[in-house]
Amino acid sequence: MQLMTKANPSRSRKNFLQTITTGATIACVGPSVLQAQKAVSKVKLGFDNFSIRALGWKAPRLLQYAAQQKVDTILFSDLDVYESHDEGYLKEIKQEAKKLGLEIHAGTGGICPTSPKFIDKYGSAEDHLRRTIRVAKAVGSPVARCYLGSMKDRLGPEGIQKHIKSTIQVCKNVRKDALDAGVKIAIENHAGDMHSLELADLIERAGPDYVGATLDSGNATWTLEDPLQTLENLAPFAVSSGIRDSMIWKIDNGASVQWTAMGEGCVNMKSFAKRWTQLCPKVPIQLEIISGFSKPFLYLENDFWKPYASIPASDFSKFVRLAQKGKPMKPFSPPKGMDRKKAQQEYQVAELERSIKYCKETLGLGIRG
């Protein structure tokens, strides 16, 4: 300070006065400033409309509900959620979301033409993906979420690689459309189709300048992964997400997996959220809660491993350790005498809202509320 004073006394006094002024300002608005700074450092929280699919709500009603839940984002993971794909209607959805303080992530289903999951409702795979990109741009979404297929695509003589090649080609065919729209194609690790390392490889081969990952923590357990390892593998490419917890427990000849509400499985979601904040803090955690049923993986049987030969032993060992911690869960069933559809609606809403509460109060996620 003494050297600065000798070199330029007037400048030193000016800096001193600025410091006093700044300090006084912070003293006056300190709490709100600190809250704003804290909010900036937090990860946005949202949900996928598939979490409450039984309600059958369209985009306007879902936006209202998201605002009521005080989340930051919503993933419309299908094109049927919109009452129209006309530009005017989609811009109204964008404006409504903006008014409610919500960010939209837009998406669709399968875009791999060689997968049994692909349907030609919107024409070719390229036409389907171009439509999704156009919808995403119109509603203000930075991403066009989509997927390859399901675990059935791992079967067959060429395995999952055949479908990975097809998906890469579709992406390359619409590269210009994505870049021109400023929308990133966000491919999900979906329903046991690709291991996270396979998805990372797909993105690298297609081009990470316009293709990224929709990181799904629940689907990771269907490719025999610990979701924390999936996060490590996909974080460099993550642009969107579908997050839920999983319970994994040992059964004869393998393990069973049941997806759960957040904090009710055996995945260390506290470590997951902390690591997410470190690795990809600008990507929202969007809950896709799909609870109520289990799926067996009989990995001790001789004919199990052929479709999963590419899965690293180190990743599988982490999955086995989760299975050693887990315990059996009962599947969902409607209360006796209750209408099944109504029971499913109430169950899905309860699972999602409990998960939102856990994410806010226990994991410290979300900027609003």
Side-chain angles (χ1 to χ4, degrees), residues 38-60:
K38 185 178 181 181
V40 169
S41 68
K42 293 180 76 172
V43 172
K44 291 179 180 179
L45 177 66
F47 67 89
D48 183 335
N49 67 295
F50 193 73
S51 298
I52 48 176
R53 58 204 173 279
L55 294 170
W57 288 345
K58 296 296 185 181

Side-chain angles (χ1 to χ4, degrees), residues 86-247:
D86 290 343
E87 194 81 9
Y89 168 83
L90 295 172
K91 286 185 176 179
E92 288 179 5
I93 294 298
K94 177 182 178 180
Q95 290 304 314
E96 182 64 15
K98 184 178 180 180
K99 184 176 76 173
L100 295 171
L102 293 164
E103 177 185 337
I104 294 175
H105 279 207
T108 190
I111 52 96
C112 176
T114 56
S115 169
K117 292 285 285 185
F118 178 74
I119 56 174
D120 59 1
K121 178 178 180 179
Y122 300 110
S124 68
E126 286 83 359
D127 289 340
H128 187 170
L129 189 49
R130 286 191 182 100
R131 177 184 289 257
T132 308
I133 291 168
R134 179 177 65 80
V135 169
K137 181 180 179 182
V139 298
S141 170
V143 303
R145 172 265 188 186
C146 55
Y147 57 75
L148 185 157
S150 72
M151 63 174 54
K152 291 181 180 179
D153 295 303
R154 302 194 71 87
L155 308 175
E158 297 179 68
I160 193 66
Q161 287 302 322
K162 170 186 175 180
H163 308 294
I164 288 175
K165 289 176 185 176
S166 295
T167 304
I168 290 171
Q169 190 57 55
V170 170
C171 289
K172 287 184 175 181
N173 291 344
V174 301
R175 179 178 183 271
K176 185 177 186 303
D177 301 85
L179 291 173
D180 288 349
V183 171
K184 208 152 193 178
I185 299 169
I187 302 176
E188 182 180 303
N189 54 315
H190 182 260
D193 58 1
M194 287 182 288
H195 185 279
S196 58
L197 291 175
E198 292 166 333
L199 176 53
D201 179 62
L202 183 158
I203 294 168
E204 290 278 19
R205 287 159 61 188
D209 57 327
Y210 73 104
V211 181
T214 297
L215 194 160
D216 191 304
S217 61
N219 289 335
T221 59
W222 279 22
T223 44
L224 311 177
E225 298 180 67
D226 181 337
L228 273 80
Q229 185 60 51
T230 303
L231 174 57
E232 296 290 334
N233 294 341
L234 288 180
F237 309 101
V239 290
S240 191
S241 67
I243 305 299
R244 58 192 169 279
D245 203 347
S246 299
M247 181 65 80

Side-chain angles (χ1 to χ4, degrees), residues 10-23:
S10 62
R11 183 176 182 86
S12 178
R13 285 194 294 272
K14 181 180 179 182
N15 290 342
F16 178 68
L17 289 172
Q18 286 177 337
T19 302
I20 294 175
T21 304
T22 303

Side-chain angles (χ1 to χ4, degrees), residues 25-39:
T25 303
I26 292 174
C28 292
V29 296
S32 61
V33 169
L34 292 175
Q35 287 171 3
Q37 290 174 339
K38 185 178 181 181

